[in-house]
Structure formats: C-alpha cells, structure tokens
Amino acid sequence: MTHIAELLAAGPTTSFEFFPPKTDEAAAALERTIAELAPLDPSFVSVTYGAGGSTRERTRDVVISIERTIGITAMAHLTCVGHSRQQLTQLLGEYEAAGVANILALAGDAPPDDPEAAARGDLHHAIELVELVRSSGDFSIGVAAHPEGHPRSPDLYTDRRHLADKLNAADFAITQFFFEPAPYLRLVEGLSAFGCDKPVIPGIMPVTNASQVQRFAQLAGAAFPAHLAARFDAVTEDPDAVRALGVELATELCARLLAEGVPGLHFYTLNRSTATREIAANLGLAG
Ligand SMILES: Cc1cc2nc3c(=O)[nH]c(=O)nc-3n(C[C@H](O)[C@H](O)[C@H](O)COP(=O)(O)OP(=O)(O)OC[C@H]3O[C@@H](n4cnc5c(N)ncnc54)[C@H](O)[C@@H]3O)c2cc1C
C-alpha cells in the first residue's frame, strides 16, 4: 500500500486521471490507454466518481483492479452528494480491505436530472468527507482546488479560506485545470497567506479540441485566455494543427510549472494517451 503523501515527499509526481468506462468497448480502450501510459512509470493514477454516485461500483472496481491487478498506485475519487455517512463508510471499508490507500475527497455536484441530490446527503462540504475518511482508516487524502475560485464561492478570499481549512485537514490538493501559470501561482501564494503550505498538484488538461475545452473551462470556472483562443481559432479547420498546438502549449505550461518547483503534474487524460505521452516525451518524463 503506497500513500501519495509519501510519494509527494520524495519528489515531483506524475499522475493520470481516468473516468470509469460505461461499456465493454470503452473498458477495453481504457485498458489500452493504461498499457500505453504505464511505460511513463506514473507515481499514481486516479479514477473519477460520477455525479451523485452514479458510478459507485464502476469507480470502485476500476480503482481496485488498477491497484491490485495492474500494480499501479490508484486513488479513488469520492463525493458527498446524495450519500449517507453509512454508505460512504462502507465504500471506504471496501477500499481499505482491497489495499487502496488514497482517496480524493470531494463535495461533488448534483446530477442535472436530480438537482435536490445534494440536499439529501449527510455531508455537504468536502472538508466533512476529509474528516470522515481520516477517521475511517489509514488513507492519504487529497482535495480539489480551484485556482480561479470555485464557481459557487462568493469571492476569492472566502474560497481560499475554506480551501486552506480543507487542505490543512487533508494531505494534498489537485487543481482544476488552468492554462497559464499565474492562476496556479496566485493560488499557492493565497493558501500560504492562510497558513497552508501543503502540496498543491497542478491539473493539466491538454487541449486537443478547442471548443470542447472552452466549454469545460466555462463549467469549471477556468478562464480560457483570449490570446490562446485566438491561436486555436487560427488553425480551427485543421484538427492535427489544433492537437499539435495543444501539446505545445501544455508542454510549455508544464515546463514553467516544473521550473517553479511544483510537487507534481496531474494529467486529465479523458481516457486517451497520445497527447499526454507526447507532452511527457517533450518534458523528458518518459520512463
Ligand atoms: C481534481 C478534481 C477532481 C474532481 N473529481 C470529481 C469527481 O470525480 N466527481 C465529481 O462529481 N466531481 C469532481 N470534481 C468536481 C467537484 O466535485 C466540484 O467542483 C464540486 O462543485 C465542488 O467540490 P469541492 O470538493 O471543491 O467542494 P468544497 O470544498 O466543499 O467547496 C464547494 C464550495 O463550497 C464552499 N465551502 C467549502 N466549505 C465550506 C464551509 N465549511 N462553509 C461554507 N462554504 C464552504 C467552497 O468555498 C466552494 O465554493 C473534481 C474537481 C477537481 C478539481
């Protein structure tokens, strides 16, 4: 059992995020992606949890299979929305019994077709889940951070204050994606001002489809800078050029972040390997 807190203490980590596949075909594709990324020797990988617990069993099964069968340290995402304390404790017990030692504790969002789900859960903020996970076993606990503030936060000061409290109770944070170093550096500085110096791993989303990323960015409260949008607009008719530009910009962002001494890089892979492998090769991270 490897704790991510220990990996972070040993030097910059490289990690990949996946979502649990819905079909046999998607499961086979994820298996291929993991096999293609394995030579990069990731420190750990993580698997998301569907809104409102919609992927409870699938997330659990994929996490346990990666940890036990493939032998890569795996982290399970887990959310409060719509869950009783007892349901969460049971799932944590299953992870502990299977040797999964890492949990990303999140508030989550209500699924679009069930807006009341959040109100039905026993826990409402991620910090309550951090406390529950801490009291449930020997887990390393990560939390989510939003460099430009969570969309539900009334202001950045309040956002940072809640985040510092949450992160101080946890072991590390992973950020929502962003496109230039400044928002990340301001986040780390802001947390430090609140007395929180725990590791904050930047989340990297390679842009392979500019309109899709602009939509994601809007939902996540991340600004897609106009000067970058203009560069994508200039090659919009050529999907290969869009991808190449996305890889070039993500490589540049990662290099600048590594030069700033970030504790690791966490790649949102969307269950595909090519862009991440190209960025890792450009950075000389390939194992
Ligand atoms: C790396 C990463 C991975 C993610 N993975 C998933 C996933 O697998 N599944 C999924 O459904 N979603 C996932 N999300 C999205 C996340 O669940 C949403 O952003 C959600 O809206 C907020 O989650 P949180 O854990 O940041 O919440 P919180 O930390 O609870 O914050 C949510 C809002 O509540 C405020 N707040 C926090 N504590 C308090 C308090 N004590 N009192 C008053 N206000 C408070 C915060 O300031 C913020 O505005 C992920 C996000 C990131 C960055």
Side-chain angles (χ1 to χ4, degrees):
M1 266 188 14
T2 305
H3 289 92
I4 292 171
E6 288 161 23
L7 298 173
L8 287 164
T13 55
T14 304
S15 52
F16 305 129
E17 182 170 310
F18 306 121
F19 58 85
K22 277 201 184 110
T23 61
D24 290 348
E25 210 181 7
L30 176 59
E31 224 172 275
R32 275 196 305 279
T33 292
I34 295 175
E36 285 160 2
L37 290 171
L40 299 180
D41 197 17
S43 314
F44 67 94
V45 303
S46 80
V47 182
T48 62
Y49 197 69
S54 55
T55 65
R56 188 180 317 168
E57 285 78 21
R58 275 188 284 133
T59 296
R60 181 198 60 200
D61 294 349
V62 174
V63 167
I64 292 176
S65 143
I66 292 175
E67 177 83 39
R68 295 182 67 142
T69 313
I70 305 181
I72 299 176
T73 297
M75 173 168 73
H77 295 213
L78 185 56
T79 68
C80 303
V81 167
H83 288 54
S84 66
R85 197 174 273 278
Q86 191 263 335
Q87 280 172 323
L88 294 165
T89 309
Q90 182 181 331
L91 195 46
L92 289 167
E94 289 168 7
Y95 281 130
E96 191 170 40
V100 173
N102 302 287
I103 303 289
L104 190 71
L106 302 145
D109 299 306
D113 59 349
D114 185 10
E116 302 307 314
R120 283 200 305 276
D122 282 344
L123 312 183
H124 301 101
H125 294 296
I127 190 169
E128 298 166 78
L129 184 54
V130 171
E131 286 158 1
L132 181 68
V133 178
R134 189 67 85 205
S135 66
S136 299
D138 183 19
F139 292 106
S140 206
I141 307 172
V143 292
H146 294 78
E148 288 152 282
H150 187 277
R152 287 200 293 271
S153 292
D155 54 67
L156 212 49
Y157 178 89
T158 313
D159 186 274
R160 299 284 200 254
R161 186 163 54 80
H162 287 309
L163 176 57
D165 288 346
K166 172 174 83 168
L167 181 49
N168 272 329
D171 297 305
F172 62 94
I174 300 182
T175 76
Q176 188 53 271
F177 56 84
F178 55 93
F179 302 99
E180 295 182 299
Y184 170 85
L185 297 174
R186 282 196 298 267
L187 167 70
V188 173
E189 215 176 271
L191 287 171
S192 193
F194 279 110
C196 177
D197 294 303
K198 296 251 170 111
V200 179
I201 307 173
I204 306 296
M205 170 82 86
V207 177
T208 52
N209 172 329
S211 57
Q212 181 193 44
V213 168
Q214 289 195 48
R215 212 171 48 244
F216 285 176
Q218 208 168 19
L219 289 172
F224 193 63
H227 69 99
L228 296 184
R231 289 181 67 183
F232 281 105
D233 284 348
V235 293
T236 192
E237 302 301 328
D238 180 352
D240 289 343
V242 167
R243 243 184 47 79
L245 179 60
V247 167
E248 179 192 326
L249 293 172
T251 301
E252 201 179 295
L253 175 62
C254 292
R256 289 172 68 188
L257 291 166
L258 288 170
E260 293 284 348
V262 292
L265 295 171
H266 183 76
F267 291 92
Y268 292 102
T269 69
L270 302 180
N271 288 11
R272 291 191 289 264
S273 73
T274 315
T276 304
R277 279 190 292 136
E278 287 174 7
I279 296 162
N282 292 345
L283 293 168
L285 297 177

